[in-house]
Amino acid sequence: SNNVVRRSTTNQNSQRIELISSSNNKIEGNVANENTDNGISLDSSPSNTFKGNSMTNNGKGMIIISGASNLVIMNNFISNINEQARDFANNIFDQNNKGNHWSNFDEASEGCFDANSNNVCDAPYVFPNNQDDFPYIPSWTNSNPSITTSPPLRAQQHSLYQYNIDATDPEADALVYGL
């Protein structure tokens, strides 16, 4: 519990990213590709955050056997063989008008229409036992933050030199930085 798993890859394994009896973790920016079973699996693991992960060509993209109140947003579910996702535990697959990308629900022929051209399907993506109310049409990418600074051009010897830095993130991720 209370861990961060970031930027790891599971590729062509029977194993995958798996949480068992673990809570309050952040699983971010990981890749689960061509695993024979599931890309991400949860069992008895509530209150975790899954953001910015890509699950591609796995048996199932994600399965949540038990553990409610997990937040699953801004992930890419791409061409998983049996199912993109299955949720047995009432979890959250969208928040603040942000959902996930589903490769089998990103064009009109699959039921995804975008009348207002905001890159979000007008209908929810429904999967076994749950749905994503804001399915995102293009794949999610994590853009670099924008940093703006205007340091003073003059400094005085034996005096504190300080100035403000403004930073924003296009995906509204929390920013931490230091000099």
Side-chain angles (χ1 to χ4, degrees):
S1 293
N2 301 306
N3 296 295
V4 175
V5 178
R6 187 175 287 141
R7 292 188 283 278
S8 66
T9 299
T10 61
N11 189 43
Q12 297 180 336
N13 296 297
S14 60
Q15 299 299 318
R16 66 265 182 194
I17 298 169
E18 183 173 36
L19 298 180
I20 299 174
S21 300
S22 190
S23 61
N24 300 308
N25 298 291
K26 292 183 179 183
I27 313 300
E28 303 172 339
N30 300 288
V31 175
N33 184 47
E34 297 181 1
N35 296 292
T36 55
D37 199 359
N38 309 304
I40 296 178
S41 177
L42 281 80
D43 192 358
S44 302
S45 296
S47 303
N48 298 288
T49 299
F50 295 85
K51 184 176 180 183
N53 301 291
S54 289
M55 292 141 281
T56 307
N57 297 317
N58 299 288
K60 288 184 182 83
M62 175 182 247
I63 186 165
I64 303 174
I65 298 166
S66 62
S69 301
N70 290 292
L71 177 62
V72 182
I73 59 167
M74 299 172 65
N75 299 286
N76 296 310
F77 292 84
I78 301 171
S79 301
N80 292 292
I81 299 162
N82 298 316
E83 294 175 317
Q84 298 284 34
R86 180 174 285 261
D87 178 17
F88 292 101
N90 193 28
N91 290 282
I92 305 157
F93 280 80
D94 54 72
Q95 182 182 58
N96 299 327
N97 299 331
K98 292 181 181 177
N100 300 279
H101 170 74
W102 309 89
S103 67
N104 62 335
F105 193 72
D106 59 358
E107 2 182 294
S109 64
E110 298 164 330
C112 174
F113 298 94
D114 183 16
N116 61 358
S117 300
N118 66 349
N119 285 328
V120 176
C121 298
D122 298 331
Y125 175 72
V126 179
F127 55 95
N129 305 321
N130 208 328
Q131 69 184 38
D132 179 342
D133 290 325
F134 299 96
Y136 195 66
I137 297 170
S139 293
W140 283 103
T141 58
N142 192 8
S143 304
N144 291 326
S146 170
I147 299 174
T148 306
T149 180
S150 298
L153 299 177
R154 303 187 92 188
Q156 292 183 339
Q157 187 176 9
H158 305 293
S159 295
L160 179 64
Y161 181 78
Q162 68 182 25
Y163 59 93
N164 293 328
I165 296 175
D166 293 319
T168 57
D169 186 83
E171 289 86 26
D173 292 332
L175 296 174
V176 177
Y177 53 93
L179 298 174

